[in-house]
Amino acid sequence: MKTTTKRKASMADRVYEALKDDIFEFRLIPGDKFSEGDVGARLNASRTPVREALYRLQREGYVDVLFRSGWQVKPFDFEQVEELYDLRITLERAAMHKICALPEEPQTLRTLIAIWNPDHPSERAVGSTVRALDESFHCDLVAAAGNREMTRIHREITDRLRIIRRLDFTRDDRVDATYIEHAHILEALRTGHASEAADRLTTHIRASQKAVREITMERIKEAAEAHKSGQEIAQKVTTKQ
């Protein structure tokens, strides 16, 4: 009995991770509708783990259950996005002051300085790597402040904003700006200028927030098509090999 329960839980976890990845990679875009049967057939999973995974995603705000018509990837609530950005700024500004008040410079700061100050532009990360590094930059700084509850809440906000923030890195100018702005924030922290670090951080996040406001469903569909085309090319290359 215990083995069966563990197997079901494991399958539910796999379905959950697969669906979440589909949403993050825009294989499923906001507004897309699907059924539990569709998911089960595609992932070779029975109804119970599929339903468990979907209810977990619903609790986390990624999907909605539709009365008698299956499920839907939750449409973007841009008002909620604005509120989450405001809360994120409040937490990260507080973290800047806490870091500067620490008796010793945290190792995290030295590590981030090395990442965001490459010797040459060619050493910069690209694509999904720079997106992951950007997320880590903000999360690591909040964690370095040493407040576990602040870190937990900030990570929850980060998780909820992850989908929409990904589109902020589809433009080269935003990638360039991210490196420059992160380096300036870190320099202010390194020299103990908490207010300057907090102000630079706020300007940096507001620029990202402004870019997010300009996102439309058309751009999301374009990102989904670009991802799909990239996958098809990669598949053809693999087949030839």
Side-chain angles (χ1 to χ4, degrees), residues 7-210:
R7 187 160 49 243
K8 284 183 179 179
S10 179
M11 177 57 74
D13 288 341
R14 286 199 290 271
V15 173
Y16 166 83
E17 293 296 341
L19 286 173
K20 197 171 182 180
D21 192 56
D22 284 342
I23 293 169
F24 284 168
E25 295 298 334
F26 300 107
R27 291 185 287 269
L28 287 172
I29 64 175
D32 275 356
K33 296 179 181 179
F34 57 91
S35 69
E36 293 174 10
D38 295 335
V39 175
R42 182 164 62 86
L43 300 177
N44 193 26
S46 61
R47 185 168 183 169
T48 298
V50 167
R51 180 165 287 185
E52 288 177 7
L54 286 169
Y55 278 122
R56 182 177 171 187
L57 288 167
Q58 182 189 33
R59 288 194 299 273
E60 294 177 2
Y62 293 110
V63 299
D64 288 325
V65 62
L66 303 175
F67 183 63
R68 293 184 179 176
S69 57
W71 295 80
Q72 180 184 43
V73 180
K74 195 167 186 175
F76 281 133
D77 181 341
F78 284 95
E79 183 177 351
Q80 183 188 58
V81 168
E82 293 283 317
E83 292 172 351
L84 289 172
Y85 264 99
D86 288 344
L87 180 54
R88 179 186 160 203
I89 287 171
T90 299
L91 291 173
E92 293 192 29
R93 284 185 64 91
M96 300 300 99
H97 288 275
K98 283 183 172 293
I99 289 172
C100 288
L102 293 173
E104 294 183 9
E105 180 182 282
Q107 176 60 45
T108 297
L109 196 57
R110 294 190 286 274
T111 301
L112 291 174
I113 288 172
I115 291 172
W116 295 100
N117 288 276
D119 294 331
H120 191 272
S122 63
E123 297 178 10
R124 291 179 177 178
V126 295
S128 59
T129 303
V130 72
R131 290 197 298 265
L133 285 174
D134 173 73
E135 184 173 303
S136 294
F137 171 84
H138 293 276
C139 289
D140 290 349
L141 282 180
V142 173
N147 185 306
R148 290 177 296 178
E149 284 303 300
M150 182 187 292
T151 299
R152 179 185 62 79
I153 294 170
H154 182 267
R155 287 196 177 278
E156 290 178 2
I157 295 169
T158 298
D159 201 37
R160 293 172 69 181
L161 287 173
R162 184 176 294 128
I163 302 172
I164 200 165
R165 283 183 63 204
R166 293 174 79 87
L167 294 182
D168 191 26
F169 291 94
T170 57
R171 291 163 33 190
D172 290 339
D173 63 316
R174 285 298 303 143
V175 174
D176 293 339
T178 295
Y179 268 89
I180 294 169
E181 291 162 11
H182 281 189
H184 287 164
I185 293 165
L186 292 168
E187 176 61 21
L189 284 174
R190 189 186 66 80
T191 54
H193 294 103
S195 294
E196 181 183 347
D199 289 344
R200 287 184 180 276
L201 181 97
T202 300
T203 300
H204 166 64
I205 296 177
R206 289 297 186 198
S208 175
Q209 187 177 12
K210 181 176 182 295

